[in-house]
């Protein structure tokens, strides 16, 4: 039996193999990326380096370099998903390095932004909103879009968050919660974390947190948030305890620390104060309600929202 080395030598020496090899080499060297690399490094690269680095050059040419048509990193066809090859010279040899592609960087930025938003019981579509997505179909929405952009712009220019947030009130379904999500996402791109809370569900959770001894931890988490967004205040059923010990504590802390707070409600200031005056038993305490409203007014500027009901139009 003929030794395997002899068989391999015959294959290597055959004209067919040589022709295929030469054709492959020509295709590699005709690649625009390879030609640009060789032109940029013509003082260092020689024929011997090219011959020795042909495998690396082949690795480079066999992958995608333009991510414009790529839908996601998951669908990336490169050897390392989300990374593009780049030719380099390492210790007098041609090598391939991999760097994150534009699509991967964008997806990583989105994930990082999403991690900056902590939410409790909020719809996913709200948390994906952006200021550009706001429906500008009447004057109130033009106004709120401009004010939201001004809030973000002030932070960009000064490096400090404005002390006052917004009190957005209006009819059911006009997009108040959507505005909160849009502002939260915009702030997230600037590395500012927002805590977005659906008030009725949050207060119900606070009651159950007494038993598992997590109440104080959750209150601290909310009240100390860099930016707090309370959605649908006024839709909850209040007890004296949730009003005074939960809402009152949160509002007082944020007012004292001048932490920006955003609130949405179907109720205006006066209607909310009336709502806060009554507990679930029907007892009325205007003094306690007034104290909380003082803090709400100190923390927010009122903006009425109107327009088409977004939920009915879907």
């Amino acid at each position: 039996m003929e030794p395997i080395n002899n068989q391999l030598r015959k294959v290597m020496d055959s004209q067919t193999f040589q022709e295929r090899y030469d054709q492959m080499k020509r295709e590699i060297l005709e690649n625009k990326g390879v030609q640009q690399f060789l032109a940029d490094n013509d003082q260092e690269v020689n024929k011997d380096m090219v011959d020795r680095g042909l495998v690396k050059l082949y690795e480079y040419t066999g992958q995608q370099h333009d991510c414009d048509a790529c839908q996601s990193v998951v669908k990336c066809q490169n050897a390392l998903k989300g990374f593009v090859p780049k030719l380099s010279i390492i210790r007098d040899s041609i090598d391939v390095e991999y760097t994150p592609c534009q699509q991967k960087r964008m997806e990583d930025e989105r994930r990082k932004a999403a991690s900056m938003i902590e939410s409790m019981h909020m719809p996913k579509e709200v948390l994906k909103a952006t200021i550009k997505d706001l429906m500008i179909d009447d004057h109130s929405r033009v106004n709120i879009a401009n004010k939201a952009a001004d809030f973000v712009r002030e932070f960009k220019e000064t490096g400090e968050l404005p002390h006052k947030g917004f009190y957005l009130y209006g009819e059911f379904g006009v997009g108040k919660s959507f505005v909160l999500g849009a502002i939260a996402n915009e702030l997230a791109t600037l590395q500012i974390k927002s805590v977005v809370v659906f008030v009725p569900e949050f207060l119900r959770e606070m009651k159950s947190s007494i038993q598992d001894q997590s109440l104080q931890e959750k209150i601290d988490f909310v009240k100390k948030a860099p930016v707090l967004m309370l959605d649908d205040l006024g839709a909850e059923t209040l007890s004296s305890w949730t009003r005074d010990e939960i809402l009152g504590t949160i509002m007082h802390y944020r007012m004292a620390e001048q932490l920006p707070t955003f609130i949405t409600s179907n109720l205006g200031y006066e209607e909310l104060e009336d709502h806060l005056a009554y507990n679930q038993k029907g007892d009325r305490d205007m003094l306690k309600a007034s104290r909380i409203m003082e803090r709400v007014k100190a923390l927010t500027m009122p903006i009425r929202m109107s327009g088409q009901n977004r939920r009915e139009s879907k």
Side-chain angles (χ1 to χ4, degrees), residues 114-136:
S115 72
M116 300 298 290
I117 302 174
E118 299 283 355
S119 65
M120 296 184 179
H121 320 292
M122 289 293 289
K124 289 184 178 180
E125 64 268 18
V126 170
L127 298 177
K128 294 180 180 179
T130 67
I131 291 180
K132 292 181 181 179
D133 294 330
L134 297 179
M135 288 179 59
I136 311 300

Side-chain angles (χ1 to χ4, degrees), residues 21 26 68 107 175 247 270 275 292 299 301:
Y21 176 83
R26 282 194 303 271
D68 289 344
E107 291 184 20
L247 287 178
E270 292 184 4
H275 167 76
I292 293 180
L299 288 165
M301 64 176 75

Side-chain angles (χ1 to χ4, degrees), residues 64-292:
Q64 294 290 328
H65 307 95
D66 184 2
C67 296
D68 289 344
C70 186
Q71 297 179 352
S72 68
V73 170
V74 173
K75 295 183 179 180
C76 177
Q77 299 180 6
N78 283 355
L80 293 174
K81 290 185 181 298
F83 290 82
V84 289
K86 178 183 177 182
L87 291 170
S88 62
I89 299 175
I90 300 177
R91 292 188 292 276
D92 295 326
S93 296
I94 295 174
D95 205 344
V96 178
E97 297 178 317
Y98 288 88
T99 58
C101 67
Q102 180 180 352
Q103 181 68 27
K104 178 174 172 55
R105 289 196 300 270
M106 183 174 66
E107 291 184 20
D108 287 347
E109 287 173 2
R110 287 176 180 172
R111 277 192 291 270
K112 188 174 182 179
S115 72
M116 300 298 290
I117 302 174
E118 299 283 355
S119 65
M120 296 184 179
H121 320 292
M122 289 293 289
K124 289 184 178 180
E125 64 268 18
V126 170
L127 298 177
K128 294 180 180 179
T130 67
I131 291 180
K132 292 181 181 179
D133 294 330
L134 297 179
M135 288 179 59
I136 311 300
D137 59 2
D138 76 4
H139 178 72
S140 73
R141 292 188 181 179
V142 173
N143 182 39
I144 184 58
N146 288 335
K147 288 186 180 297
D150 289 343
F151 183 93
V152 174
R153 188 181 304 112
E154 183 173 338
F155 172 74
K156 288 181 178 179
E157 293 176 353
T158 66
E160 295 183 2
L161 288 167
H163 296 155
K164 272 199 173 188
F166 309 151
Y167 182 88
L168 304 175
Y169 68 102
E171 299 299 322
F172 173 83
V174 296
K176 301 184 296 293
S177 302
F178 197 81
V179 172
L180 293 189
I183 297 173
N185 279 319
E186 197 73 28
L187 292 173
T189 64
L190 302 173
Q191 311 305 308
I192 301 297
K193 179 178 286 188
S194 302
V195 172
V196 190
V197 174
F198 180 57
V199 175
E201 189 62 35
F202 171 67
L203 292 182
R204 280 192 289 270
E205 184 176 335
M206 291 304 96
K207 294 178 182 178
S208 63
S209 297
I210 298 175
Q211 296 179 347
D212 62 20
Q213 299 181 341
S214 63
L215 176 64
Q216 192 58 51
E217 180 182 4
K218 290 178 180 178
I219 292 176
D220 288 344
F221 176 78
V222 171
K223 77 179 185 181
K224 295 179 180 180
V227 177
L228 177 62
M229 299 184 171
L230 300 175
D231 189 43
D232 217 1
L233 181 62
E236 70 285 340
T237 300
L238 283 172
S239 66
S240 297
W241 178 75
T242 53
R243 178 191 63 199
D244 303 335
E245 301 302 324
I246 306 299
L247 287 178
T249 297
I250 291 171
M251 298 296 186
H252 177 75
Y253 181 89
R254 298 192 68 78
M255 182 184 71
E257 297 297 322
Q258 296 185 315
L259 296 173
T261 305
F262 293 80
I263 299 173
T264 72
S265 180
N266 294 338
L267 310 175
Y269 274 168
E270 292 184 4
E271 295 171 302
L272 180 62
E273 184 169 359
D274 188 62
H275 167 76
L276 293 171
Y278 291 90
N279 63 22
Q280 60 190 8
K281 296 179 181 179
D283 299 328
R284 186 170 184 266
D285 192 332
M286 285 303 302
L287 180 60
K288 295 288 181 63
S290 296
R291 286 177 178 172
I292 293 180

